[in-house]
Amino acid sequence: MDISHDALVAFSKSWGLFYLIGLMVGVLIYTFRPSNRKKFDKAKQSVLDQDDKPWT
Amino acid sequence: MILTLTEAERQIALGISVAVALGGLVLAAAGTQDTMEVHGWLILVFGAICAIVVIRDLWGPEPPRSRLESYYDEPIKAGIIASMAWAVVAMFVGVWVAALLAFPDLTFDGAWASFGRLRPVHTSGVIFGFGGNALIATSLHVVQRTSRARLPDQLSPWFVLVGYNLFCILAASGYLLGVTQSKEYAEAEWYADIWLVIVWVTYFVLYIRTLARRKEPHIYVANWYFMAFILVVAILHIINNLAVPVSLGHAKSYTIWSGVQDAMVQWWYGHNAVAFFLTAGFLGMLYYYLPIRAQRPIFSYRLSILSFWGITFFYMWAGSHHLHYTALPHWVQTLGMTFSVMLLVPSWASAGNALLTLNGAWHRVRDDATLRFMMVAAVFYGISTFEGSFLAIRPVNSLSHYTDWTVGHVHAGALGWVALITFGSFYTLVPSLWKRDTMYSPALVEWHFWLSLAGTLIYIFAMWNSGIIQGLMWRTYTEEGTLAYSFIDSLRAMYPYYIARTLGGLFFLIGAVIGAYNMWRTIRSAPSSAPVEGDVPLSAATAVARG
């Protein structure tokens, strides 16, 4: 199999771009989805809990 | 510490120790004509010591069932002690190599003390010895607390910690012997590299197993950073260290990568070592210990998620900025430069998130040196990531590359960000883990803070000056079109800066020694009489604020 330099460049410049944009869209949806808001608020408060024992 | 292991775990620990010792014997026998022999004996002694430690308590009482109702903190304590020990040793070597540049006679005519051999002892000692142990210790602390689950067993955290320190010892001692594969931050040779892969995969599996046992459904963002750190360092380490040894009896190996591919793989590794070893893991520390110490939730949890994905996916592409104006294809250089500039966004998002968390708690920053360590770390994180993006721009790089400016940039990050956030986390952790009300001496924490800050500032200002002067002298032409200065001229101009840098490093070292002493005295002091309720850092922070 022979992969030319130009083919690799073309691949990186197209698919490399698309998957990063896809990733960005996915991350933005996850971050700003209204149903996640409660979970995130709970997460950031929960580290301040004073109990120092594993839950059973 | 062996008594906290179950009987079955002690037997496995003994088996592993004996296997390691025998492995050392094989290495010593195979490498009789080579420096590898020394390492073989070293591994044998290391394995034997571990075996003796295990045997002494092999038939001791079984740990009580009630252990499962608390977190497993013994290896975390050991990791903090190991980290501080490496900090003192490796920062001492750092001051030594800095002094060597100003006073080259400090080698005492010994090959082992030449700059080329001592420097990697400093870099690996601080990055892997100090930083790595700190990351292992804090990651195991954070993952238990945020998952509300105990580590799945008692043996694998010890295997990770002790095995990792064996790697660090092999690396550092090898450099003094002249064993090196000459790759920046990856100098250790093939047998040490294979050992690290075993240790690191165990670490990864341990982390995943703890997360799988979590009682808290959401995985707190600090764990994401630690997870990225462990996973990506495994990938980087394996790919960059693919090498073929000259023979199984020789320490020397040759990389399977050749020419410009080797350079690209090396700096893909090298820059991601900065990104995932020295940034992602320490951001994990920041996102957990800063809110705890400031007693305020992180300013924006959403922002921390966005910066996580930005940092992990942008950093992967930034490595080629180390190879501007080389044989590397131009478009790859441009790619690295572009991603480096874009990195400023998630980096500043993290730094800003940390500082905005403190907004409203500035009185605590003023009164509590521990919190101040973390605040200044966030500021230096912002400064050094801005500088990094700037230096990655090709024309800027044409001035800065190969000069002390790069060294200054690395130390703005390593001293100002990585070391300060670590010290801040340790000062939060030590009283909490050893059940003390406060540190032995809050005044010594202040001393440590101001010495660290002064040392860092002296160091980076010296290197900014010397770097820019160097860069300008190397590119100044006479009217006839020849270079105006010889290399020796530029070296002479560096002399005062090299002395200033040694002084800055010395300040930082003294601070670290004070910190280690303070932690030692805290550990040796009597436990607080009142039973401690809940997480101690909070009460410790209020105690300092009240005091």
Side-chain angles (χ1 to χ4, degrees):
Chain A
M1 197 170 71
D2 201 25
I3 308 167
S4 74
H5 173 76
D6 289 335
L8 268 181
V9 173
F11 183 80
S12 329
K13 283 184 175 175
S14 55
W15 292 107
L17 178 69
F18 295 142
Y19 104 82
L20 275 174
I21 290 177
L23 180 97
M24 187 190 77
V25 171
V27 169
L28 284 174
I29 290 174
Y30 173 77
T31 310
F32 289 103
R33 219 172 129 190
S35 63
N36 279 340
R37 173 187 276 274
K38 236 177 88 184
K39 187 164 77 180
F40 293 159
D41 280 345
K42 201 172 143 263
K44 75 176 189 179
Q45 295 291 344
S46 72
V47 293
L48 299 176
D49 282 355
Q50 294 252 358
D51 70 321
D52 199 31
K53 277 187 170 44
W55 292 351
T56 41
Chain B
M1 79 197 198
I2 296 300
L3 288 174
T4 61
L5 271 63
T6 65
E7 226 160 85
E9 284 173 334
R10 285 174 215 166
Q11 285 160 5
I12 302 172
L14 182 61
I16 295 172
S17 307
V18 172
V20 167
L22 289 178
L25 191 64
V26 171
L27 221 56
T32 40
Q33 303 300 315
D34 196 75
T35 38
M36 202 167 91
E37 187 187 5
V38 184
H39 269 164
W41 294 121
L42 199 109
I43 296 169
L44 176 70
V45 170
F46 192 91
I49 292 174
C50 290
I52 291 168
V53 170
V54 176
I55 287 173
R56 277 172 52 202
D57 288 324
L58 190 59
W59 296 281
E62 194 61 6
R65 284 288 299 171
S66 62
R67 71 176 192 276
L68 300 177
E69 287 156 27
S70 60
Y71 296 122
Y72 189 46
D73 288 340
E74 298 298 314
I76 300 169
K77 293 178 179 175
I80 291 173
I81 294 169
S83 173
M84 288 309 291
W86 276 106
V88 170
V89 173
M91 285 175 195
F92 169 75
V93 179
V95 175
W96 186 356
V97 291
L100 262 179
L101 288 173
F103 313 103
D105 290 336
L106 286 173
T107 56
F108 314 113
D109 289 333
W112 62 273
S114 59
F115 181 83
R117 292 198 187 180
L118 280 180
R119 183 188 166 262
V121 176
H122 165 61
T123 51
S124 289
V126 288
I127 297 172
F128 300 117
F130 168 55
N133 276 302
L135 286 166
I136 292 174
T138 54
S139 68
L140 296 182
H141 179 259
V142 169
V143 73
Q144 291 187 89
R145 266 50 180 197
T146 53
S147 303
R148 315 278 176 184
R150 185 184 158 94
L151 293 175
D153 67 307
Q154 283 81 229
L155 179 61
S156 51
W158 284 111
F159 176 76
V160 171
L161 188 73
V162 176
Y164 180 75
N165 278 283
L166 173 60
F167 167 79
C168 293
I169 292 170
L170 286 178
S173 61
Y175 307 152
L176 296 178
L177 294 166
V179 176
T180 173
Q181 52 182 10
S182 311
K183 278 173 167 267
E184 181 92 323
Y185 311 137
E187 292 94 343
E189 269 294 356
W190 60 275
Y191 46 94
D193 288 336
I194 291 173
W195 175 248
L196 184 61
V197 172
I198 299 170
V199 169
W200 209 260
V201 170
T202 313
Y203 184 23
F204 181 72
V205 172
L206 170 67
Y207 210 89
I208 291 279
R209 280 166 71 211
T210 314
L211 284 176
R213 291 160 50 87
R214 73 186 186 278
K215 296 289 191 297
E216 165 74 55
H218 178 73
I219 301 175
Y220 184 66
V221 71
N223 290 307
W224 304 17
Y225 283 95
F226 281 124
M227 212 58 255
F229 144 66
I230 301 170
L231 178 66
V232 176
V233 167
I235 298 170
L236 297 169
H237 174 72
I238 292 170
I239 294 181
N240 191 39
N241 288 303
L242 290 173
V244 183
V246 174
S247 84
L248 290 178
H250 280 86
K252 183 73 199 142
S253 68
Y254 287 94
T255 176
I256 66 159
W257 310 107
S258 60
V260 75
Q261 273 94 351
D262 181 33
M264 184 62 249
V265 170
Q266 161 56 29
W267 282 108
W268 169 77
Y269 165 88
H271 198 75
N272 281 311
V274 177
F276 288 89
F277 208 100
L278 294 177
T279 303
F282 291 91
L283 282 171
M285 277 187 211
L286 181 83
Y287 279 117
Y288 183 76
Y289 295 107
L290 180 87
I292 295 263
R293 191 72 189 189
Q295 302 174 54
R296 297 170 64 82
I298 195 75
F299 167 72
S300 167
Y301 197 77
R302 284 174 168 169
L303 193 58
S304 72
I305 295 173
L306 289 179
S307 27
F308 171 80
W309 290 107
I311 281 173
T312 42
F313 277 80
F314 288 174
Y315 254 124
M316 272 292 160
W317 302 94
S320 54
H321 70 224
H322 287 260
L323 297 165
H324 281 326
Y325 304 102
T326 64
L328 195 73
H330 202 257
W331 72 270
V332 187
Q333 299 176 23
T334 309
L335 184 81
M337 172 175 91
T338 315
F339 271 92
S340 305
V341 172
M342 293 194 306
L343 256 173
L344 189 61
V345 176
S347 302
W348 273 29
S350 285
N353 210 348
L355 292 175
L356 285 167
T357 302
L358 294 172
N359 211 1
W362 291 112
H363 60 286
R364 227 170 267 147
V365 176
R366 185 194 60 208
D367 296 336
D368 180 6
T370 303
L371 193 55
R372 220 178 306 130
F373 264 112
M374 301 190 202
M375 188 278 283
V376 174
V379 171
F380 270 106
Y381 179 60
I383 294 173
S384 56
T385 48
F386 172 76
E387 193 184 26
S389 297
F390 182 60
L391 292 178
I393 298 168
R394 202 184 281 112
V396 182
N397 205 261
S398 75
L399 174 68
S400 76
H401 204 179
Y402 309 115
T403 73
D404 289 331
W405 194 350
T406 309
V407 185
H409 167 60
V410 171
H411 282 83
L415 301 176
W417 153 238
V418 170
L420 293 194
I421 189 69
T422 305
F423 292 139
S425 303
F426 280 4
Y427 283 128
T428 309
L429 261 177
V430 167
S432 154
L433 286 177
W434 274 276
K435 310 270 185 279
R436 308 286 186 268
D437 287 331
T438 54
M439 288 298 296
Y440 161 72
S441 165
L444 286 182
V445 183
E446 288 285 349
W447 272 96
H448 183 187
F449 173 79
W450 289 108
L451 280 168
S452 302
L453 183 59
T456 307
L457 289 176
I458 294 171
Y459 192 110
I460 60 177
F461 273 96
M463 292 295 95
W464 278 339
N465 276 304
S466 72
I468 292 170
I469 291 174
Q470 249 178 341
L472 291 176
M473 286 177 90
W474 291 346
R475 60 158 58 168
T476 306
Y477 289 90
T478 59
E479 278 175 19
E480 290 79 37
T482 61
L483 284 170
Y485 302 100
S486 70
F487 182 76
I488 291 295
D489 289 336
S490 72
L491 197 62
R492 283 206 191 92
M494 295 308 102
Y495 188 60
Y497 303 112
Y498 285 164
I499 291 173
R501 155 225 275 223
T502 310
L503 193 70
L506 184 66
F507 278 18
F508 204 88
L509 169 69
I510 295 171
V513 171
I514 290 176
Y517 170 75
N518 199 3
M519 287 178 205
W520 183 246
R521 289 300 298 257
T522 309
I523 295 168
R524 297 300 300 268
S525 69
S528 51
S529 47
V532 180
E533 290 294 323
D535 235 354
V536 178
L538 294 174
S539 51
T542 35
V544 172
R546 274 200 308 269

